[in-house]
Amino acid sequence: MFNGIHMMAVPTDANLATQALSEEKTYRFQAFSADDAITLGLSIRKRFRASSRHGKGKGLVISIQTVAGHTLFSCTVGDLGHPSGISDVSLDSWACLEGMISVVKRTSHSSYYVEKGMSAMGKTAKQMGLDDNMRVSGGAFPIWLENAPCCPIAVVAAYSGSSQDDHNLVVNTVRDYIKKLRRSSDAPGLSMPEPSQGLPHRPISEWVSELGFGAGDQPLRHPEGSLYDHHEHHEHHEDHEHKEQ
């Protein structure tokens, strides 16, 4: 049937949010320096320049900065006056990139996770307590240290106008760079801890329950540190202020 072609199920927003959260917990650095930022940024640039999207004239802007706002790496890939006529690298591109970085600083999660988590819950940015200057689009990813679980120390972000492509570009480059660091640490006398294994696989039924569609009177439980915890805290804070007034 179907000439042997099997239709693959399209992942839901909840599935994509779960995967993005797992990536955050898996791809963490033992240490992160300004030199690492330069190497990582140039790796993102090189990978994008080798892509078919760049070959068709698409451009990219890249930024790596600490959560305090200190710029470690910044780069533009492409020209505004490309012969293809696609003029997508401009000041607007940098404004979008900064908006994505602000989402990570605000939530401590990747902008792609926030985007898909909001979509799965049917919430808007305003309902989630995000400011108007924040851009909820994939491409900004938090840089965590394995021995510092309190908060990310930096953000790596890339913007070309495609949420999923930008997210995959950044995450895959981070993954490969961490693997390279691990191989380098195999020299005698050096060791590097294994990255955390991330979240275990969870059936979609659990996500449906967590998104507020479960039946029964039992309180819903959300992943610790997830977007849903942040949303509940925000709503509780607003209710408390309203009662005081």
Side-chain angles (χ1 to χ4, degrees):
M1 191 174 183
F2 299 110
N3 296 323
I5 299 177
H6 300 282
M7 302 297 291
M8 296 182 63
V10 177
T12 65
D13 288 334
N15 295 142
L16 294 173
T18 300
Q19 179 181 343
L21 189 61
S22 178
E23 291 166 346
E24 295 177 19
K25 293 181 177 294
T26 302
Y27 304 136
R28 300 194 174 194
F29 291 81
Q30 183 184 29
F32 193 80
S33 66
D35 288 340
D36 289 320
I38 294 173
T39 304
L40 181 60
L42 291 176
S43 297
I44 294 174
R45 178 182 183 273
K46 180 179 180 180
R47 183 168 295 201
F48 180 76
R49 283 176 57 84
S51 69
S52 59
R53 299 183 70 236
H54 179 64
K56 295 177 181 178
K58 296 295 290 183
L60 181 80
V61 289
I62 309 168
S63 179
I64 302 177
Q65 55 183 256
T66 67
V67 292
H70 177 56
T71 300
L72 302 176
F73 180 88
S74 183
C75 177
T76 298
V77 185
D79 300 303
L80 187 62
H82 192 277
S84 67
I86 302 178
S87 303
D88 57 357
V89 179
S90 64
L91 291 178
D92 287 340
S93 300
W94 286 106
C96 292
L97 189 71
E98 288 298 327
M100 292 155 50
I101 293 174
S102 296
V103 170
V104 180
K105 291 180 179 180
R106 176 71 173 81
T107 65
S108 295
H109 289 295
S110 70
S111 56
Y112 190 69
Y113 166 74
V114 176
E115 176 189 15
K116 295 306 175 183
M118 282 174 44
S119 179
M121 293 188 296
K123 300 291 185 179
T124 65
K126 184 176 182 180
Q127 289 174 321
M128 299 303 296
L130 301 178
D131 298 334
D132 294 336
N133 64 333
M134 297 182 182
R135 183 180 179 88
V136 184
S137 179
F141 191 79
I143 294 177
W144 289 85
L145 297 183
E146 293 178 344
N147 62 349
C150 57
C151 65
I153 64 163
V155 182
V156 51
Y159 174 79
S160 70
S162 173
S163 177
Q164 185 169 3
D165 288 337
D166 293 341
H167 174 76
N168 291 338
L169 172 66
V170 170
V171 170
N172 291 339
T173 308
V174 168
R175 177 201 62 199
D176 292 346
Y177 184 54
I178 290 177
K179 288 182 178 179
K180 180 180 178 181
L181 292 175
R182 287 181 52 77
R183 288 195 298 268
S184 300
S185 69
D186 289 339
L190 296 177
S191 63
M192 184 174 180
E194 290 282 343
S196 58
Q197 296 302 312
L199 297 177
H201 175 72
R202 304 170 63 201
I204 187 60
S205 58
E206 293 186 16
W207 266 100
V208 171
S209 176
E210 290 180 358
L211 295 177
F213 300 106
D217 298 327
Q218 294 297 324
L220 300 178
R221 299 181 62 188
H222 308 315
E224 183 179 355
S226 70
L227 178 66
Y228 311 105
D229 280 343
H230 166 72
H231 175 55
E232 290 180 347
H233 175 74
H234 176 73
E235 288 186 338
H236 176 73
H237 180 67
E238 287 186 342
D239 291 342
H240 180 69
E241 290 184 344
H242 180 71
K243 290 180 180 179
E244 288 184 346
Q245 293 176 356

